[in-house]
Amino acid sequence: MMKSFRIGSLFGIPIKLDLTFLLVLPLFAYLIGAQIEPVVDILNTSMGAGIDVDALTTESWMPFLIGLIAAIGLFVGVVLHELGHSLTAQRYGFPIDSITLWLLGGIAALSEMPEDWRQELNIAIAGPIVSILVGVASYGLFLVTPESLDGARFVLGYLAVLNIVLAGFNMIPAFPMDGGRVLRALLARNTPYAKATQQAASVGKLFAILMGLFGLLQFNIIFIALAFFIYIAASSEAQQVTMKAAFQDVTVGDIMTPAKDLHTVGPETSVAALIQRMFTERHTGYPVIDRSGFEGERLVGLVTLSDAREIDPVERDAFTVEEVMTTDLKTISPESDAMTAIERMREHNIGRLLVVDDGDLIGLISRSDVMTAFDIVQKSGSVSPNRQPRTAD
Ligand SMILES: [Zn+2]
């Protein structure tokens, strides 16, 4: 995962720097400093800047100081771009966790994504609009800066160009670029959200492939890396949204294995006998039920194949289930959404959750239950065809 630290906050939104960004900043400072001459040529011909290159390079350290200031200016532009997204999202009531700057720019972390196409469109387009405004403002400042201040005019002119390029680059119609979200929002006007996502993701993947091919032909490593990044982002966005749409009205109770169909073991069972059962029943996880107490059946743990495997084969007769089972039980209620179950399994890195209602074990939900249900929903459109859709609660 990314390692990042907080540098402050704006409008109550924490601004974080990722470590990869700290590598990029000096690199940008160096690259800008090393290209002062060609950039001055561009600015002088395109904006009639009249910048004197010699005045910027009288001392050997000057280009790099100018490069550093321009790089920091670019970084401020990226923060403003992300603030554009964040403040628009906040206006619609979506909380923003943070803005993080990393290798490829900025990320505004929305806790959830709007599914209303108008809101998504406005949130996505707000960033590039801010970048254009920052570019125009830089150009305005450039115009009013006295001609004698060659360094300031260079930085402002350069930032005017960079922010416009940033806006254009972000409008590439591919996830996770803003253009990808704009495209999805426009498609979602008259197509279901999940389908619009898949279409937008396909366009993004096509772009990624073209960009990768271009990178290969040009031997440009940045294009190749970016192409990979876009391809993966497009695929995962599409998969997540498809799953969410498929499981929209599906609860844990709908797809769990109910208690009456569950295979359970007693805590006194030997590990050897457990493994034997796992082989014959082709199950790899069993709730452990204690039937020796006064209050009848009591759930005391969960035992899986990997728990059992921790015991050396020759000692498996001597150990009981009670000694290897997990007692830190991860549970979920039958009314929870199927998506919540998937997220909880992912979060704890486990393959199954016990479904508990009022302290009673009423079922078990495993990754394979979820995947089977997902298959059925995709093929038939529903888990249980006779069920009425749930009303909002
Ligand atoms: Zn953006």
Side-chain angles (χ1 to χ4, degrees):
M1 266 324 278
M2 298 198 294
K3 279 231 179 300
S4 59
F5 52 91
R6 198 183 143 137
I7 53 163
S9 74
L10 280 170
F11 299 95
I13 302 164
I15 312 288
K16 294 180 184 170
L17 278 190
D18 182 68
L19 284 181
T20 53
F21 181 79
L22 292 183
L23 293 175
V24 166
L25 192 65
L27 180 69
F28 265 57
Y30 172 78
L31 288 177
I32 296 170
Q35 301 200 321
I36 291 224
E37 247 175 89
V39 173
V40 164
D41 274 345
I42 293 169
L43 295 181
N44 285 352
T45 46
S46 66
M47 302 182 189
I51 295 169
D52 178 11
V53 177
D54 295 336
L56 300 181
T57 50
T58 45
E59 305 284 347
S60 58
W61 49 262
M62 275 177 71
F64 303 105
L65 178 67
I66 291 169
L68 184 65
I69 294 168
I72 291 171
L74 180 63
F75 141 80
V76 172
V78 171
V79 171
L80 292 173
H81 172 109
E82 296 305 327
L83 265 183
H85 292 306
S86 304
L87 295 180
T88 314
Q90 273 189 343
R91 213 186 69 200
Y92 291 124
F94 295 100
I96 305 294
D97 295 333
S98 62
I99 291 176
T100 305
L101 291 169
W102 72 299
L103 188 61
L104 294 172
I107 305 172
L110 267 74
S111 327
E112 55 182 310
M113 275 304 195
E115 293 196 12
D116 175 332
W117 72 266
R118 273 189 198 83
Q119 294 184 351
E120 173 162 52
L121 180 69
N122 289 340
I123 294 171
I125 214 159
I129 288 176
V130 169
S131 291
I132 290 172
L133 293 178
V134 172
V136 170
S138 304
Y139 185 65
L141 287 173
F142 162 84
L143 290 178
V144 298
T145 303
E147 294 217 353
S148 56
L149 300 174
D150 287 294
R153 284 168 64 82
F154 174 85
V155 169
L156 290 169
Y158 199 34
L159 288 180
V161 174
L162 279 181
N163 279 289
I164 303 292
V165 168
L166 188 68
F169 177 74
N170 267 292
M171 287 306 288
I172 292 176
F175 292 121
M177 249 68 98
D178 299 331
R181 302 195 187 285
V182 169
L183 177 66
R184 170 170 61 194
L186 293 176
L187 289 169
R189 269 181 313 175
N190 34 33
T191 317
Y193 186 74
K195 194 153 182 231
T197 302
Q198 275 178 335
Q199 290 172 344
S202 304
V203 173
K205 282 183 198 172
L206 185 68
F207 247 90
I209 291 167
L210 292 177
M211 197 183 262
L213 283 176
F214 179 77
L216 282 176
L217 291 175
Q218 300 277 317
F219 296 107
N220 187 326
I221 192 84
I222 293 176
F223 270 100
I224 296 170
L226 207 57
F228 265 109
F229 178 66
I230 291 174
Y231 194 91
I232 291 164
S235 313
S236 79
E237 177 95 21
Q239 198 203 7
Q240 236 182 23
V241 172
T242 314
M243 268 203 142
K244 220 171 158 181
F247 283 149
Q248 203 163 30
D249 288 314
V250 179
T251 63
V252 168
D254 293 328
I255 59 173
M256 69 180 187
T257 307
K260 64 175 168 52
D261 298 336
L262 276 185
H263 298 255
T264 62
V265 288
E268 72 297 332
T269 313
S270 76
V271 172
L274 172 72
I275 290 186
Q276 192 51 50
R277 270 191 72 185
M278 285 177 170
F279 272 118
T280 53
E281 294 173 2
R282 282 184 207 86
H283 269 296
T284 54
Y286 292 80
V288 184
I289 305 289
D290 186 1
R291 296 184 171 84
S292 64
F294 293 112
E295 66 264 50
E297 298 192 347
R298 198 164 59 89
L299 174 69
V300 292
L302 183 75
V303 68
T304 63
L305 182 58
S306 58
D307 294 331
R309 277 212 180 119
E310 274 170 28
I311 305 296
D312 200 77
V314 295
E315 296 177 50
R316 281 175 189 165
D317 272 321
F319 281 86
T320 63
V321 163
E322 193 167 20
E323 291 165 291
V324 296
M325 69 185 185
T326 311
T327 52
D328 175 24
L329 299 176
K330 301 284 182 270
T331 62
I332 192 159
S333 83
E335 295 91 35
S336 302
D337 287 318
M339 269 317 272
T340 312
I342 298 167
E343 277 152 21
R344 197 166 297 177
M345 283 189 239
R346 215 177 264 158
E347 192 182 310
H348 295 295
N349 196 23
I350 48 178
R352 49 184 67 71
L353 296 167
L354 295 162
V355 185
V356 172
D357 195 17
D358 274 341
D360 292 330
L361 176 72
I362 62 160
L364 186 118
I365 184 168
S366 66
R367 264 177 220 236
S368 58
D369 288 334
V370 174
M371 292 326 290
T372 311
F374 182 56
D375 255 10
I376 296 170
V377 175
Q378 282 213 307
K379 283 178 189 132
S380 73
S382 148
V383 178
S384 41
N386 302 324
R387 247 177 79 246
Q388 292 295 313
R390 275 190 305 157
T391 48
D393 46 15

